[in-house]
Amino acid sequence: MVSVLLIVVLVLILHGIGSLSDNGPLVIDYYKERCPHLEQIVQRNVEIAVLREPRMAASLLRLHFHDCFVLGCDASVLLDNSGSIVSEKQAGPNKNSLRGFDVIDEIKHTLEEACPLTVSCADILALAARDAVVLRGGHRWDVHFGRRDSIKASLDDANKFLPAPNSSLEILVANFHQHGLDTQDLVALSGSHTIGKSRCFTFRQGIYQDDEQFHLKRDTTYQEILRSLCPESGNDDELAPLDSTTPARFDNLYYHNIIQGQGLLISDNVLVSEDVGGDIRKHVWNFANDQDFFFQSFGNSMIKMGSINVLTGEEGEIRRHCRFVNTK
């Protein structure tokens, strides 16, 4: 009986059943034979883009987030209006805000020359996000590959599921939970706000509102600085750093900032101010006290997020151009 069970187990493993990692169908060495120079090509292009414009690191990271939270990590965010497709780029959280599309186009063009119809745009987004973080001082994590590209987009879902900058803690927790992410993932991934900038339009409410309404305890000096940049009307596109201490470096000072009431967005500050139970605040303190722990947790949460509703196998397609589905 034991030998029969052993044979059955071996057969299942050989056929790939039960042998998947915690990340489902995605694997680290997916392109080892298919496109061996993938990582070097993406890394080089991201380096050039970030050297040209340092803010691009945060923009590439944000593209991956905004992709995964709508339909899953399937590059639907990259699609332009075409035929029956209504682009997610027109959604409120994306319009005049998402950047980096040209960088992804350039990476895709280079990869199509090296490995035609092999590397998905969804996998490019995941890898570019990782390399952008590393270039700003963060730690590497192993990107899992094997995603395929969506042949549709959802403007409605982009308006519905992307977290707003004025979200309450309750809404944030529910939103992340809906995508299979827990409170530690929420706090870790919020740490992406250690780099990048945000427009006056997105943080105005938080600096002129009644603080009691949102249970906020803002640093008054920091608030006055923000008000000088962002008046009650006008200057909608004026930029402020999400991390005022080390805005160009990926580190854990974002958590120090929100503990001191110096988070730029309402959705940053509520991680501390609205946590009645203290569980979420505990994650904030842990990351503030241990940067290596934050880096490790951030990488783990990025891998987890990067596995949301992925298309694999024969699902979707490998797009020739990231902005359009393939013509038959």
Side-chain angles (χ1 to χ4, degrees):
M1 178 63 71
V2 174
S3 60
V4 172
L5 288 175
L6 181 59
I7 292 172
V8 171
V9 170
L10 288 173
V11 169
L12 289 176
I13 291 175
L14 287 172
H15 283 80
I17 301 174
S19 62
L20 297 177
S21 70
D22 292 338
N23 304 298
L26 305 181
V27 293
I28 294 173
D29 59 354
Y30 185 82
Y31 293 108
K32 184 177 181 180
E33 302 296 334
R34 294 175 172 90
C35 192
H37 301 299
L38 165 65
E39 297 211 23
Q40 295 96 313
I41 290 172
V42 174
Q43 180 181 359
R44 179 58 178 161
N45 277 272
V46 172
E47 283 179 351
I48 292 171
V50 173
L51 283 171
R52 185 182 300 126
E53 184 187 0
R55 185 183 165 211
M56 187 54 67
S59 298
L60 292 172
L61 178 57
R62 189 163 179 252
L63 265 182
H64 186 40
F65 275 90
H66 281 230
D67 180 39
C68 290
F69 270 64
V70 180
L71 299 179
C73 307
D74 59 1
S76 62
V77 72
L78 301 178
L79 289 169
D80 284 346
N81 290 328
S82 179
S84 62
I85 293 175
V86 180
S87 176
E88 294 169 16
K89 297 173 184 178
Q90 300 176 116
N94 295 337
K95 190 174 183 180
N96 300 322
S97 176
L98 278 189
R99 307 165 68 250
F101 299 109
D102 291 344
V103 177
I104 302 300
D105 288 342
E106 184 61 31
I107 294 172
K108 180 61 173 175
H109 175 74
T110 305
L111 286 171
E112 282 301 300
E113 292 184 337
C115 317
L117 278 178
T118 301
V119 181
S120 69
C121 301
D123 278 345
I124 293 173
L125 283 176
L127 186 53
R130 193 277 307 276
D131 289 348
V133 168
V134 173
L135 280 171
R136 294 290 88 193
H139 283 194
R140 292 174 61 87
W141 63 88
D142 290 327
V143 177
H144 295 71
F145 298 111
R147 302 168 189 80
R148 286 169 65 86
D149 299 323
S150 176
I151 57 174
K152 63 180 180 179
S154 179
L155 177 64
D156 290 341
D157 283 0
N159 280 316
K160 182 179 180 182
F161 292 120
L162 291 171
N166 62 350
S167 294
S168 67
L169 183 59
E170 181 181 8
I171 290 175
L172 288 173
V173 170
N175 189 314
F176 275 64
H177 178 74
Q178 187 170 13
H179 292 92
L181 302 171
D182 59 28
T183 55
Q184 179 163 319
D185 296 318
L186 165 61
V187 180
L189 294 174
S190 294
S192 63
H193 286 178
T194 186
I195 56 174
K197 297 181 179 181
S198 190
R199 294 184 300 155
C200 165
F201 174 79
T202 64
F203 63 83
R204 176 182 285 121
Q205 180 182 5
I207 59 175
Y208 289 104
Q209 68 185 3
D210 177 4
D211 287 352
E212 293 301 318
Q213 178 186 356
F214 288 85
H215 313 288
L216 298 181
K217 296 180 180 178
R218 277 193 178 275
D219 178 280
T220 54
T221 301
Y222 178 63
Q223 186 173 36
E224 288 305 314
I225 292 172
L226 293 179
R227 286 179 174 179
S228 69
L229 293 172
C230 181
E232 291 190 68
S233 62
N235 283 13
D236 283 359
D237 294 327
E238 187 71 27
L239 297 172
L242 288 158
D243 173 356
S244 60
T245 309
T246 53
R249 183 165 183 80
F250 196 95
D251 54 27
N252 68 335
L253 293 188
Y254 162 82
Y255 298 104
H256 292 253
N257 293 340
I258 62 175
I259 288 170
Q260 296 168 15
Q262 296 179 6
L264 181 63
L265 307 178
I266 291 175
S267 58
D268 295 321
N269 291 290
V270 296
L271 296 177
V272 173
S273 65
E274 290 189 0
D275 182 28
V276 177
D279 291 339
I280 293 173
R281 193 182 299 114
K282 181 179 178 181
H283 293 311
V284 172
W285 277 96
N286 287 340
F287 293 151
N289 290 328
D290 190 338
Q291 180 166 276
D292 287 339
F293 178 57
F294 163 54
F295 283 163
Q296 179 185 2
S297 299
F298 184 83
N300 290 339
S301 292
M302 286 294 289
I303 293 170
K304 190 173 176 181
M305 185 194 75
S307 301
I308 295 174
N309 293 334
V310 293
L311 302 174
T312 59
E314 298 301 314
E315 300 173 309
E317 65 180 13
I318 304 298
R319 292 188 213 138
R320 293 182 179 87
H321 193 297
C322 290
R323 293 177 184 259
F324 306 101
V325 298
N326 297 336
T327 55
K328 303 301 181 183

